[in-house]
Amino acid sequence: GHVVRNWKVRWFVLLQDKLLYYKIEGGKKEPSPKGRILLDGCTITCPCLEYENRPLLIKLKTKTNTDYFLECCSREERDSWALDITGAIHAGHPVQVQELHKMKNSFKLLENISLHQIVEKMCDSSTGIKLTRNLEQGNRYKETFTGSALVDWLISHSFAVSRFEAVTLASMLMEENFIKPVGTRSTEATRYTDLSEQFLDDSTALYMFAESSKKSTSSKEQLQFNISELSGTIVKQGFLVKQGHKRKNWKVRRFVLRADPAFLHYYDPTKEENRPVGGFSLRGCLVSALEDNGVPAGVKGNVQGNLFKIITKNDVHYYIQASSKAERAQWIEAIKPLT
């Protein structure tokens, strides 16, 4: 209500240029509308998170700056109303309406979004996602959030434009161990092979921040991996031995070679989180085998042979050992077309 800020049930009818609402008396709507919202020049916000305990809101702001808050019965109903109202607002622009319906089930994440940046904003005490206590099957969990609450938050902060896109982004946050499932429902969903099915857009599925994500957001030296570089097609992966840049010691790393975009990432197999400890773009790189007779300059420690070197366009040198000459040749063959 505009005078008394209470919430009342109203029957809504969407027309091409306006939204009518009626009072309900005796289970039936009255013949004349109680009011109307002119859609010309309106802006719509969905999901609207201005009321913490009302996650199913749509906000309409008219061109005269009047705010209307409309609460739906379910997320599906809310999103359906929002899509149809947006279509009516842009009714004079059929191309925009067509693009809107395409966008509903599209997946095109912004290329420069950093997962670390998203988690930092999620952890913000004022604008971040609200952490609450939740109960599932008799178990009480502290500092959790629901799957649907995270999807709403990602959309409202413009990290995603549709629920499908937000679910996929949330799955990436989970896959890179920034968030983790809590309780039976959300944990069981991680068994699905399809990334988009591993995270549940559901108000009964619980999640929480992984401890490693809290540590990573406080470290300014933490490597930043954006979504685009981790979204390429995996061409080859396997275990190789890499020389460190500072201590010049040799450590086993799991290497993952991706194309479109071309990146080589490496992971620490001793750590549980599935997040790279390093990586670089292959564009402009040089890759070559190193002869086994003698140790080249810049290489120290225990060298077993089967060495190859990658020099990035920023002149960073990576020395890597394969387990055999055949394996070294396979890696070089796979990397060269991507440089």
Side-chain angles (χ1 to χ4, degrees), residues 230-248:
L230 291 170
S231 64
T233 305
I234 295 177
V235 176
K236 184 175 176 60
Q237 58 182 315
F239 291 95
L240 298 166
V241 184
K242 173 188 163 294
Q243 181 180 259
H245 289 291
K246 294 179 180 178
R247 296 183 182 179
K248 303 296 181 184

Side-chain angles (χ1 to χ4, degrees), residues 75-117:
R75 280 180 167 80
E76 292 77 17
E77 188 178 78
R78 179 197 65 186
D79 295 344
S80 177
W81 271 100
L83 189 71
D84 290 335
I85 292 171
T86 306
I89 291 172
H90 298 300
H93 308 279
V95 174
Q96 282 183 279
V97 179
Q98 190 177 14
E99 289 300 314
L100 180 76
H101 283 273
K102 282 183 184 177
M103 189 178 68
K104 187 180 180 184
N105 292 310
S106 69
F107 176 55
K108 187 180 180 183
L109 290 172
L110 299 174
E111 290 186 358
N112 295 321
I113 291 180
S114 161
L115 293 179
H116 292 271
Q117 179 190 3

Side-chain angles (χ1 to χ4, degrees), residues 1-10 21 34 51 54 67-69:
H2 287 291
V3 182
V4 180
R5 296 288 180 176
N6 54 356
W7 296 85
K8 291 183 178 178
V9 175
R10 293 287 182 258
Y21 53 95
K34 173 74 176 174
Y51 289 84
R54 294 182 180 274
D67 290 340
Y68 290 88
F69 294 93

Side-chain angles (χ1 to χ4, degrees), residues 111-162:
E111 290 186 358
N112 295 321
I113 291 180
S114 161
L115 293 179
H116 292 271
Q117 179 190 3
I118 293 174
V119 176
E120 281 180 3
K121 289 189 178 293
M122 285 175 65
C123 293
D124 188 278
S125 57
S126 57
T127 60
I129 192 163
K130 304 299 180 187
L131 302 179
T132 58
R133 294 188 180 197
N134 281 287
L135 189 69
E136 188 199 81
Q137 294 185 346
N139 295 317
R140 191 176 296 277
Y141 301 100
K142 295 180 181 179
E143 296 191 328
T144 60
F145 47 87
T146 66
S148 52
L150 177 55
V151 169
D152 285 350
W153 186 91
L154 289 169
I155 295 172
S156 67
H157 285 75
S158 302
F159 289 116
V161 296
S162 67

Side-chain angles (χ1 to χ4, degrees), residues 175-231:
E175 188 180 37
E176 298 299 331
N177 202 41
F178 288 107
I179 63 174
K180 63 181 182 181
V182 179
T184 308
R185 282 217 67 208
S186 54
T187 303
E188 285 182 349
T190 59
R191 297 174 185 172
Y192 289 105
T193 54
D194 190 346
L195 184 68
S196 62
E197 295 179 351
Q198 292 178 9
F199 182 88
L200 298 178
D201 179 8
D202 194 297
S203 59
T204 62
L206 303 181
Y207 299 88
M208 68 186 301
F209 288 111
E211 287 302 315
S212 59
S213 70
K214 290 186 177 180
K215 293 175 185 175
S216 68
T217 55
S218 63
S219 171
K220 292 182 180 179
E221 297 179 358
Q222 180 67 44
L223 289 168
Q224 299 282 312
F225 298 102
N226 64 40
I227 288 170
S228 63
E229 68 182 75
L230 291 170
S231 64

Side-chain angles (χ1 to χ4, degrees), residues 319-332:
Y319 294 98
I320 302 168
Q321 296 185 59
S323 60
S324 66
K325 285 187 178 181
E327 185 183 44
R328 177 177 67 180
Q330 289 169 6
W331 273 100
I332 291 173

